[in-house]
Amino acid sequence: MHVVLVVPGGVDRGGRERVIPALLDIIEGLASRHRVTVVALGQETMACRYQLLGATVINVPPERRGPVRLARQLFRAVRAVGANGRPDVVHGFWASVSGLAAVLAAKRYRVASLVHVAGGELVAMPDIGYGGALGRGGRLIADVTLRRATEVTVASHWLAETVRSRGHRIDGIIPLGVDTNRFAPWPERAVPGRLVQVASLNRVKDQPTLLRAVALVQGTHPEVTLDIVGVDTLQGAMQQLAADLGLGDAVRFHGFVASDELPPFLHAAQLHIVSSRHEAGPVALVEAAACGVPTVGTRVGHVADLAAFDPQGARAVDIGDADAMAATICALLDDAALRSQLGSVARQWAEANDRHATVTAFEACYQRLRAAD
């Protein structure tokens, strides 16, 4: 089968930086059994093609000038979809320009399309400038993409309900799994009181709520420490807030860390923390779950899903509620048995939804769509 993936970047030829690890896992898994072409929008500034994990990547550079630059980029993306021959199915990641390109290309080549909603395409948070739905153009792109796609999938039940509430259908829920050999338990490495967050420093991740929660936890658990792993897009604002809150050396900012170097940070932690205002299905939670590290987080994405399990696989609090987050962290730091139970449930879920399960689920979609085409 010839599968064409249309992605908004995240497939750098080096395979370590400027990548979306979940996409690389999908590409590698599919390419082991199918012919895979990846059309990347704006990965590099010049048009090019290269090999990555057994797939051919065709880069469509961004259009920087002119009132019809979006139309030109879409035209070039549609043409790139067919550059390696007619596809059997076109799969777009994000219901944004990449998803729209996938839908248009599928119509051009008379094949089925699958779109995976993977971020904040339908979200508008004007106070922090986040979300694809902030402008009329973004809303229109998402609406056309989701209505014209043959099938639509998401990573979490929570996001499925969010998308349905906006008037769109969901045909399947497919979590983006991780390599459970790389991300595996190592409980003897855990440091008492150690917390970890794997997330870029940006407004939607809401690190102010996280840092305020940690400051509250310090009142009863002075040994608590926090590792934050992720690129800083806020020019040191969170480091300054940590200092203002008197957290001192209790919080360590590690910046960018490649995916293959993340496990030691997770192994050292007793709890993984998600403080985001929005998440489709945070892969960092899946990585922590695969390591048996339970998550305390805001009620979004996989956090909401696992917190609804019986028994629970995570603990969820309201968005922006630093007091509730602190209280939940303290309760779990004091209860090793409950941490173990949460971590065990999360681990079982991560194993059942690993990267091989993700690829298999997408393959089933492709085969069904191809048969019905």
Side-chain angles (χ1 to χ4, degrees):
M1 189 185 306
H2 182 200
V3 179
V4 177
L5 309 179
V6 186
V7 303
V11 290
D12 186 78
R13 65 179 75 207
R16 296 190 82 240
E17 299 185 18
R18 298 175 63 233
V19 299
I20 300 172
L23 283 180
L24 299 189
D25 285 338
I26 292 167
I27 291 166
E28 185 174 27
L30 289 173
S32 69
R33 297 192 287 272
H34 305 281
R35 184 158 62 96
V36 177
T37 301
V38 180
V39 175
L41 306 187
Q43 181 69 49
E44 299 188 10
T45 57
M46 302 294 291
C48 61
R49 67 167 61 201
Y50 51 91
Q51 297 299 304
L52 180 67
L53 300 171
T56 298
V57 178
I58 302 175
N59 178 64
V60 177
E63 296 283 349
R64 301 189 182 280
R65 297 180 182 178
V68 293
R69 58 185 180 275
L70 175 59
R72 288 204 305 268
Q73 186 178 39
L74 287 169
F75 173 78
R76 294 171 68 187
V78 169
R79 187 170 57 185
V81 166
N84 277 351
R86 182 177 182 269
D88 290 303
V89 64
V90 185
H91 187 173
F93 284 86
W94 280 261
S96 54
V97 176
S98 52
L100 180 58
V103 168
L104 294 175
K107 182 177 180 180
R108 163 67 178 80
Y109 298 106
R110 298 181 181 180
V111 298
S113 61
L114 176 67
V115 170
H116 188 76
V117 184
E121 298 97 316
L122 303 178
V123 176
M125 297 181 178
D127 60 315
I128 58 172
Y130 175 81
L134 283 173
R136 185 173 65 177
R139 293 193 298 270
L140 179 61
I141 287 172
D143 185 67
V144 171
T145 299
L146 295 175
R147 296 192 188 285
R148 297 292 182 89
T150 312
E151 287 196 3
V152 177
T153 61
V154 295
S156 64
H157 291 272
W158 178 86
L159 184 61
E161 291 306 311
T162 300
V163 175
R164 289 184 183 119
S165 73
R166 306 294 199 274
H168 298 288
R169 78 186 191 285
I170 294 296
D171 300 295
I173 296 170
I174 303 177
L176 303 185
V178 302
D179 182 349
T180 52
N181 292 317
R182 174 184 298 168
F183 294 95
W186 201 342
E188 60 270 22
R189 293 281 300 276
V191 177
R194 179 73 57 86
L195 313 176
V196 66
Q197 182 181 78
V198 180
S200 297
L201 300 181
N202 61 51
R203 297 301 179 192
V204 76
K205 302 299 184 182
D206 194 11
Q207 276 89 13
T209 291
L210 169 64
L211 294 174
R212 293 186 182 104
V214 172
L216 292 170
V217 172
Q218 271 199 331
T220 55
H221 295 73
E223 79 284 0
V224 73
T225 58
L226 169 66
D227 289 316
I228 299 181
V229 181
V231 175
D232 184 3
T233 71
L234 300 177
Q235 292 75 51
M238 294 304 97
Q239 290 87 336
Q240 183 60 55
L241 177 59
D244 293 344
L245 290 169
L247 291 171
D249 295 334
V251 180
R252 295 176 290 269
F253 296 87
H254 297 274
F256 169 79
V257 173
S259 178
D260 59 354
E261 297 175 353
L262 282 176
F265 290 96
L266 296 170
H267 293 151
Q270 290 191 309
L271 294 172
H272 168 253
I273 314 296
V274 172
S275 54
S276 304
R277 292 178 59 176
H278 176 83
E279 291 280 359
V283 173
L285 178 148
V286 187
E287 294 167 341
C291 292
V293 179
T295 291
V296 172
T298 44
R299 196 168 281 104
V300 295
H302 294 319
V303 184
D305 284 7
L306 268 66
F309 284 7
D310 185 14
Q312 290 181 312
R315 285 295 174 90
V317 301
D318 290 340
I319 292 168
D321 193 338
D323 291 324
M325 181 172 287
T328 305
I329 290 171
C330 289
L332 287 175
L333 289 177
D334 291 336
D335 194 334
L338 182 54
R339 286 200 314 274
S340 179
Q341 177 184 308
L342 291 169
S344 177
V345 172
R347 168 68 179 169
Q348 292 173 32
W349 173 81
E351 288 179 331
N353 295 280
D354 68 0
R355 64 176 183 167
H356 301 296
T358 300
V359 170
T360 299
F362 281 137
E363 279 183 315
C365 291
Y366 303 157
Q367 291 162 358
R368 181 175 62 252
L369 292 171
R370 189 183 183 190
D373 190 23

